[in-house]
Amino acid sequence: MMPTLFQTKEVFRRAEAVCFDVDSTVIKEEGIDELAKFCGVGDAVTEMTRNAMCGSVTFKTALTERLSIIRCSREQVNKLITDHPPQLTPGIRELVDRLHLRNIKVFLISGGFRCIVEHVATQLDIPLHHVYANRIKFYFNGEYAGFDESQPTAETGGKGKVINMLKEQYGFKTVVMIGDGATDLEACPPASAFIGFGGNVIRQQIKEKSSWYVTSFGELLKELEMI
């Protein structure tokens, strides 16, 4: 049974940890689409991302197919981050600061790439050991060599696995997942609550399945101010 809006807000207010998706949530864009555009294969990859977000193919299949088209080098990834750094969603910096002030642990759990997500974490003062994301592998000459398939975030259901791991490791009782896509929604449970985020893109099926759906981080900040 879907929790009520009141229950979800209550869990958020007493959360010990808050986990954020990154692409189209913490940042405005989809990192993999930006990388594809940068490598000249944008259109082919954007369509596949849309399918992956809606849950119509397994996440690992979508990731494998997209990366096999992009085949980015280490140099291209570094140049993307330098020339087109990820754009933070308005309000996320203030929200993360407020959570940190309240001693609530913040984690980034992403189906995107660690090299990009670490850059985002640094901007938000989130420790790098609180980042869970996929690793692109490169040969010694910097050419694309695949991705690390052993990472939980490479699998459908991977974000839930990470949350289970966090609960075991830190003893958290209340963990909230915030995100825009199917892989975020399916992380609850084991997350205690899920908050759908539509500030960058509204995915109708996520909106319909969320007891609390917000389109700006200001709504979450306002809720924390009520405590």
Side-chain angles (χ1 to χ4, degrees):
M1 230 174 72
M2 194 194 286
T4 64
L5 174 62
F6 176 79
Q7 287 168 327
T8 304
K9 286 185 171 187
E10 198 176 24
V11 171
F12 176 64
R13 286 197 301 267
R14 59 180 171 81
E16 296 164 275
V18 175
C19 301
F20 289 93
D21 168 50
V22 176
D23 295 331
S24 294
T25 300
V26 168
I27 62 173
K28 292 180 181 180
E29 57 274 283
E30 288 287 330
I32 195 162
D33 291 353
E34 294 305 303
L35 186 57
K37 268 186 245 170
F38 194 73
C39 296
V41 289
D43 291 347
V45 169
T46 302
E47 183 58 33
M48 293 164 107
T49 299
R50 204 173 296 121
N51 292 337
M53 281 296 124
C54 298
S56 53
V57 290
T58 71
F59 189 79
K60 187 179 265 187
T61 300
L63 189 60
T64 306
E65 288 175 355
R66 286 178 294 174
L67 279 172
S68 65
I69 293 172
I70 299 169
R71 302 194 67 78
C72 50
S73 66
R74 182 185 275 124
E75 190 186 349
Q76 283 173 313
V77 173
N78 291 342
K79 197 164 164 41
L80 170 72
I81 294 167
T82 308
D83 294 0
H84 302 280
Q87 300 296 302
L88 292 177
T89 301
I92 186 62
R93 198 188 294 275
E94 294 80 357
L95 179 57
V96 170
D97 286 349
R98 181 68 55 87
L99 291 168
H100 281 155
L101 271 174
R102 297 178 56 81
N103 209 21
I104 296 164
K105 301 286 182 271
V106 178
F107 296 86
L108 299 179
I109 308 180
S110 173
F113 306 121
R114 192 172 181 94
C115 45
I116 296 171
V117 177
E118 282 187 348
H119 179 84
V120 174
T122 304
Q123 286 181 280
L124 296 172
D125 292 323
I126 295 170
L128 296 187
H129 67 277
H130 284 198
V131 170
Y132 294 84
N134 290 313
R135 293 177 189 273
I136 303 176
K137 297 196 289 195
F138 301 102
Y139 291 113
F140 68 93
N141 64 356
E143 284 182 12
Y144 175 70
F147 66 97
D148 182 354
E149 296 191 27
S150 70
Q151 295 296 316
T153 47
E155 303 272 0
T156 297
K159 290 181 181 180
K161 283 181 194 156
V162 171
I163 289 172
N164 265 332
M165 222 160 58
L166 295 177
K167 287 168 92 171
E168 275 175 39
Q169 194 177 332
Y170 295 94
F172 296 139
K173 295 281 185 289
T174 49
V175 179
V176 173
M177 181 75 209
I178 300 172
D180 68 289
T183 60
D184 309 312
L185 177 67
E186 70 183 15
C188 178
S192 320
F194 169 73
I195 300 168
F197 183 75
N200 293 306
V201 57
I202 291 176
R203 304 188 200 281
Q204 204 52 42
Q205 68 274 43
I206 307 304
K207 187 177 182 178
E208 285 163 13
K209 291 175 181 172
S210 304
S211 54
W212 190 15
Y213 193 82
V214 301
T215 52
S216 89
F217 287 124
E219 294 172 67
L220 301 183
L221 265 171
K222 204 156 69 179
E223 198 60 36
L224 289 176
E225 282 162 10
M226 291 169 73
I227 301 168

